[in-house]
Amino acid sequence: GGTLNNCNLNGSSAGYLGSGGGAFHADLNNCNLSNNSAYDSGGGAFYGTLNNCNLSGNWAMYGGGADRSTLNDCTLSDNSADIGGGASGGTLNNCTLSGNSAYYSGGGAYYAILNNCIVYYNSAPNGPNHYDCILNYSCTTPLPAGTGNFTEEPRFVNTNGWSNLRLQANSPCINAGNNAYVVGATDLDGNPRI
């Protein structure tokens, strides 16, 4: 619980039947959550609010990166889970989910609401990018129901190791979202997004 700013949560484990390997029921701002694990839910974070955070290399049975959380302007990459490699449940606004994997369903996201998100290059036998999700103004494939979604490749600067998921100048994702879903005035690089 509580609020953490500008933190690094690395290599923690929630243990047997635990949830929230990196953080449990906490508000996180400008934090990095990496290589955390939870036997049950939310390898990186469980039931919290994350703003401008990076979640990478986390693992859980449900929601490798995050489970039942609200994520704003976050990047989720290289996370894994049985279900919901990047995220499971919760709401994601202006987030990028790439390089995540699930053993069963929802490599990028499972049973979540995603607005103004990029959900691309994830893997799972069922729903590699999204499974049983609601998406609006998002870049993903296959094309989901919802408003403003599209399937064009996002054109990242570099997907090698998922280390630079910034967009090239010719990316179809730039300014393709809906301002109603924008929480902050800038993106992770400090550029205006409204």
Side-chain angles (χ1 to χ4, degrees), residues 17-105:
L17 295 181
S19 295
F24 182 92
H25 203 316
D27 294 332
L28 306 174
N29 300 300
N30 305 306
C31 293
N32 293 308
L33 294 87
S34 59
N35 304 311
N36 301 294
S37 63
Y39 184 84
D40 191 3
S41 303
F46 177 77
Y47 198 66
T49 300
L50 287 74
N51 299 302
N52 298 311
C53 294
N54 292 303
L55 296 88
S56 64
N58 301 292
W59 177 89
M61 288 182 68
Y62 301 95
D67 185 57
R68 290 176 252 182
S69 298
T70 299
L71 284 74
N72 301 305
D73 302 309
C74 294
T75 301
L76 296 87
S77 62
D78 199 29
N79 300 290
S80 60
D82 288 349
I83 295 175
S88 177
T91 301
L92 292 83
N93 299 304
N94 309 299
C95 294
T96 298
L97 295 85
S98 290
N100 303 290
S101 62
Y103 189 76
Y104 296 110
S105 301

Side-chain angles (χ1 to χ4, degrees), residues 5-187:
N5 299 308
N6 306 309
C7 62
N8 288 305
L9 303 171
N10 184 9
S12 296
S13 175
Y16 184 69
L17 295 181
S19 295
F24 182 92
H25 203 316
D27 294 332
L28 306 174
N29 300 300
N30 305 306
C31 293
N32 293 308
L33 294 87
S34 59
N35 304 311
N36 301 294
S37 63
Y39 184 84
D40 191 3
S41 303
F46 177 77
Y47 198 66
T49 300
L50 287 74
N51 299 302
N52 298 311
C53 294
N54 292 303
L55 296 88
S56 64
N58 301 292
W59 177 89
M61 288 182 68
Y62 301 95
D67 185 57
R68 290 176 252 182
S69 298
T70 299
L71 284 74
N72 301 305
D73 302 309
C74 294
T75 301
L76 296 87
S77 62
D78 199 29
N79 300 290
S80 60
D82 288 349
I83 295 175
S88 177
T91 301
L92 292 83
N93 299 304
N94 309 299
C95 294
T96 298
L97 295 85
S98 290
N100 303 290
S101 62
Y103 189 76
Y104 296 110
S105 301
Y110 175 85
Y111 199 68
I113 299 170
L114 298 102
N115 303 305
N116 292 357
C117 291
I118 300 171
V119 191
Y120 231 96
Y121 306 122
N122 301 286
S123 61
N126 300 299
N129 287 311
H130 53 88
Y131 187 90
D132 203 15
C133 294
I134 297 170
L135 291 99
N136 295 295
Y137 297 94
S138 294
C139 172
T140 190
T141 185
L143 184 66
T147 306
N149 297 315
F150 56 98
T151 61
E152 290 181 69
E153 289 191 44
R155 299 184 194 139
F156 293 123
V157 170
N158 186 352
T159 58
N160 186 20
W162 311 110
S163 59
N164 190 354
L165 298 179
R166 290 171 174 81
L167 299 172
Q168 296 179 30
N170 63 347
S171 170
C173 299
I174 295 175
N175 295 323
N178 184 327
N179 286 339
Y181 298 117
V182 175
V183 176
T186 62
D187 63 14

